[in-house]
Amino acid sequence: MSRYPEWARRGGSAQPADAGETPQESAAGSAPIHLALEPVDFRKSFDGLSVAVVEALGRDPLSGELFVFRNRGGDKLKALYWDGQGFVLLYKRLERGRFVWPSHLPRQPSRHDYKPEDLA
């Protein structure tokens, strides 16, 4: 038995972006954005964040949606995205200040969902 869930072992079997649409266009276009409200351990990378997407956010990491996590200090972000061929991991560290994170939201879900136009 593998230590990774079945979806993590699928590798490149997920459907790629539509023909004529680059992964960047599909990511920037209309993909929902999910913010994890609770901080995550920033030692996690592709596999660990994929598990956090399933366990904490209740979503499929291979869905093509964007998943955003922050560290406990609030000065770092990691974003995970499946582009149809593999995971893309973005990392941002602020030199000064902290990211503004939703704190006024009901705590029942562990995530908050946005559409790209909500963040414009």
Side-chain angles (χ1 to χ4, degrees):
M1 176 179 221
S2 174
R3 68 179 219 185
Y4 297 108
E6 189 276 328
W7 55 262
R9 294 189 309 267
R10 277 191 260 164
S13 66
Q15 295 298 319
D18 292 337
E21 183 179 72
T22 67
Q24 294 81 7
E25 288 170 341
S26 61
S30 60
I33 301 166
H34 304 282
L35 301 182
L37 297 179
E38 297 297 321
V40 298
D41 179 352
F42 259 43
R43 293 174 291 183
K44 293 181 179 183
S45 188
F46 297 99
D47 295 333
L49 291 175
S50 296
V51 170
V53 167
V54 173
E55 293 178 353
L57 303 179
R59 305 296 298 179
D60 178 4
L62 300 177
S63 65
E65 300 167 344
L66 182 67
F67 303 98
V68 183
F69 303 89
R70 70 177 172 95
N71 68 335
R72 189 167 306 280
D75 63 334
K76 297 178 184 115
L77 289 182
K78 282 188 177 179
L80 185 68
Y81 172 72
W82 175 262
D83 72 357
Q85 299 175 345
F87 282 113
V88 177
L89 183 64
L90 305 170
Y91 189 111
K92 171 78 175 190
R93 180 186 72 196
L94 294 177
E95 292 300 319
R96 291 189 311 251
R98 298 177 191 278
F99 289 99
V100 177
W101 213 250
S103 60
H104 62 284
L105 302 169
R107 296 310 258 180
Q108 57 203 17
S110 58
R111 70 177 198 264
H112 190 70
D113 305 333
Y114 291 98
K115 296 177 189 156
E117 57 268 16
D118 294 338
L119 302 174

